[in-house]
Amino acid sequence: MNLKKILVLFLISFFYNVSAQKDGYWDKERATTKEILVSAGDRINVKTEDLPIGTTEIVYRITLLDENQQMANSLVSVLKAIPDPYGIGQGSAGAVLIMSKISGDDKCIYAVFTSDTNAKKYIDNGKVNDACYAQTEPVSKDAKRLSIDKSSCLNANTTTIWFGFESKNWLLKQKIVLEVVPWVDTKLNRGWNQDNKNEIVSLCKTSTMAQKMANSDDFCVCILDKIMKQYRYGEFQKLLAIEKTKVYKDFGNSCYNDASISKNVYNDLRTQANTLIRLQKYNEAIPKLNTIITAGKATALDYSSIGYSYILTKQYAKAIKFLKEGEKLDDTELLVKLNLAHAYLVSDNYGDAKAIYKKYQSQNVTDSLSWTDKTKQDFALFQKAGLPSSDFERILKLYN
């Protein structure tokens, strides 16, 4: 194989390993290093140091020493040469490297437990039924990696584990060195597991802002992201209720004004308002349209819809006000023009109404609905709603 091919293979391997590395660190501050003396034939259990939040893997090493032997190097120092658990998990040089270079002639068996109760049972009866891992063949040294996705010894709520040892020297004491180093996932270290995230999203879903939306998923995820970035879970839980309310409100306002989210919010409000108008629930449609208008997100059609709703709730002055605003936004929108003519007509301003009806009678208000047909439809609805109808026939005669 020539030099170029070797170089290419090396680079591919290097970049593959870099991309595979996990985002975290070996926590040497909360590593466990204990020397245990076990009497001949006895059993003993050892509790590890508390595992940090976000621990997703541990590497442990067990070494049996003769009386005067000392460890050549600590597990923490060895792991400095391995950037993440991937190198160990491959079973390559990394896995070999963490093995102790020395061990005594003595041997032991051991088991790993997730509760103090089960570890104590082991001391009493030596059974490993309740162990999450057991080494039942005597060893003078051992090293393993346990990960949250492949071992029952770890889960998102694990804070400590117990090692139970049984001496296989029936005459003399044994010296056992136990070393445990946790790998901490940087993101999980902030305490935001799946349950915690769901808690925040569920609370968001009940908020006033979220309930205005047909689909509040993006909005609630936006709030969750901002809270996770600002606070560790433990810090957020310590906030007073009034402080949490302010956090929700501030982040909610920020997310509500996000361009992509606000577009969906106002589209949802618009859809809801139009549905209510079709159901003739005009008084319920008005506040939704007002929300869009107040936020400065209204189209001419939104002004047309609110004007139409005000007409049918007999609030003619408000109808005229909003329809004139709609004209300023788009002077070519004929639905605004037609509703303005309606508002003038039912508020006893026949002259201004007539001018508008005449001007646009030959046009369509949409691509498939003529001005004349839309007028007839509206007049029929207005009559059923009990609006002033004395001039309706006069207007229709203009079209003939």
Side-chain angles (χ1 to χ4, degrees):
M1 188 181 289
N2 61 37
L3 186 59
K4 276 189 178 181
K5 287 185 178 178
I6 293 173
L7 181 60
V8 168
L9 289 173
F10 171 78
L11 289 173
I12 290 171
S13 174
F14 172 78
F15 285 116
Y16 177 79
N17 284 331
V18 168
S19 65
Q21 285 184 6
K22 300 182 180 183
D23 186 12
Y25 57 93
W26 296 112
D27 193 334
K28 63 180 182 181
E29 301 301 325
R30 282 170 281 195
T32 297
T33 302
K34 294 186 178 182
E35 287 193 8
I36 312 118
L37 288 176
V38 186
S39 298
D42 273 1
R43 287 187 290 271
I44 192 171
N45 67 44
V46 181
K47 178 184 175 183
T48 66
E49 302 294 339
D50 289 345
L51 300 175
I53 294 172
T55 299
T56 57
E57 353 227 342
I58 63 166
V59 169
Y60 67 85
R61 183 170 71 176
I62 294 165
T63 310
L64 278 75
L65 301 177
D66 288 339
E67 188 174 351
N68 296 317
Q69 282 183 309
Q70 299 295 321
M71 295 299 297
N73 45 37
S74 72
L75 182 58
V76 167
S77 64
V78 170
L79 289 175
K80 285 181 181 178
I82 307 173
D84 70 33
Y86 176 82
I88 300 169
Q90 282 185 305
S92 59
V96 175
L97 185 62
I98 66 173
M99 290 293 288
S100 174
K101 293 180 181 178
I102 60 170
S103 67
D105 295 327
D106 287 340
K107 292 186 178 183
C108 74
I109 61 175
Y110 69 90
V112 185
F113 300 91
T114 57
S115 75
D116 184 37
T117 302
N118 290 337
K120 285 177 179 175
K121 284 182 185 177
Y122 175 74
I123 299 303
D124 294 336
N125 59 30
K127 294 181 180 179
V128 296
N129 305 36
D130 298 319
C132 59
Y133 178 78
Q135 173 60 47
T136 54
E137 288 294 321
V139 292
S140 60
K141 60 183 177 181
D142 202 7
K144 289 283 187 299
R145 164 182 171 254
L146 302 176
S147 65
I148 202 168
D149 55 342
K150 292 183 179 179
S151 170
S152 60
C153 295
L154 287 178
N155 60 52
N157 299 313
T158 302
T159 56
T160 189
I161 55 176
W162 288 259
F163 284 78
F165 296 97
E166 181 178 340
S167 168
K168 288 302 177 182
N169 186 325
W170 296 99
L171 298 174
L172 302 172
K173 290 181 179 180
Q174 287 183 327
K175 183 193 285 187
I176 301 174
V177 178
L178 170 67
E179 300 167 278
V180 183
V181 184
W183 172 267
V184 181
D185 183 288
T186 304
K187 289 183 179 178
L188 294 179
N189 180 240
R190 296 184 64 79
W192 291 103
N193 60 33
Q194 200 63 38
D195 290 340
N196 298 339
K197 292 178 185 179
N198 286 334
E199 176 188 332
I200 300 298
V201 171
S202 296
L203 284 171
C204 169
K205 293 275 187 180
T206 65
S207 68
T208 303
M209 286 184 180
Q211 289 180 344
K212 291 178 181 178
M213 309 172 198
N215 187 338
S216 58
D217 288 354
D218 288 348
F219 174 70
C220 289
V221 168
C222 176
I223 291 178
L224 173 63
D225 285 344
K226 289 182 182 295
I227 291 176
M228 286 171 58
K229 187 175 181 180
Q230 181 81 14
Y231 300 97
R232 290 177 181 270
Y233 179 71
E235 295 170 343
F236 183 74
Q237 287 300 91
K238 289 177 183 177
L239 295 178
L240 298 174
I242 192 171
E243 292 175 314
K244 286 184 180 179
T245 300
K246 186 176 186 304
V247 168
Y248 273 105
K249 182 180 177 182
D250 291 347
F251 287 154
N253 287 331
S254 174
C255 291
Y256 200 78
N257 293 321
D258 178 87
S260 59
I261 293 174
S262 66
K263 181 180 178 181
N264 291 334
V265 168
Y266 297 119
N267 283 341
D268 287 343
L269 284 170
R270 191 171 287 119
T271 299
Q272 292 169 28
N274 290 334
T275 299
L276 290 167
I277 289 170
R278 283 196 299 273
L279 296 172
Q280 299 182 17
K281 296 180 179 181
Y282 308 108
N283 60 325
E284 295 179 35
I286 287 170
K288 296 185 182 296
L289 292 164
N290 254 323
T291 299
I292 300 172
I293 291 168
T294 302
K297 304 295 183 180
T299 65
L301 286 175
D302 294 326
Y303 281 101
S304 175
S305 296
I306 199 170
Y308 188 74
S309 298
Y310 276 129
I311 291 170
L312 281 151
T313 54
K314 300 182 181 180
Q315 301 179 75
Y316 308 133
K318 287 183 179 179
I320 292 168
K321 173 192 170 185
F322 280 97
L323 290 164
K324 284 186 174 179
E325 289 296 318
E327 272 192 318
K328 292 176 186 176
L329 202 60
D330 185 355
D331 193 48
T332 67
E333 181 50 68
L334 293 193
L335 283 172
V336 173
K337 300 285 189 184
L338 182 58
N339 284 328
L340 183 57
H342 293 336
Y344 283 143
L345 188 66
V346 295
S347 60
D348 202 26
N349 186 349
Y350 178 80
D352 286 343
K354 176 184 176 182
I356 298 172
Y357 285 124
K358 284 284 290 180
K359 184 174 182 179
Y360 300 104
Q361 65 177 324
S362 63
Q363 297 193 44
N364 277 8
V365 292
T366 70
D367 59 355
S368 58
L369 182 61
S370 71
W371 175 282
T372 302
D373 287 342
K374 177 62 172 157
T375 304
K376 290 176 181 177
Q377 290 175 11
D378 290 345
F379 283 175
L381 185 61
F382 294 166
Q383 282 183 310
K384 286 182 182 179
L387 270 59
S389 59
S390 57
D391 290 322
F392 288 176
E393 286 300 323
R394 294 174 67 189
I395 295 300
L396 293 176
K397 284 179 181 179
L398 293 174
Y399 296 160
N400 298 328

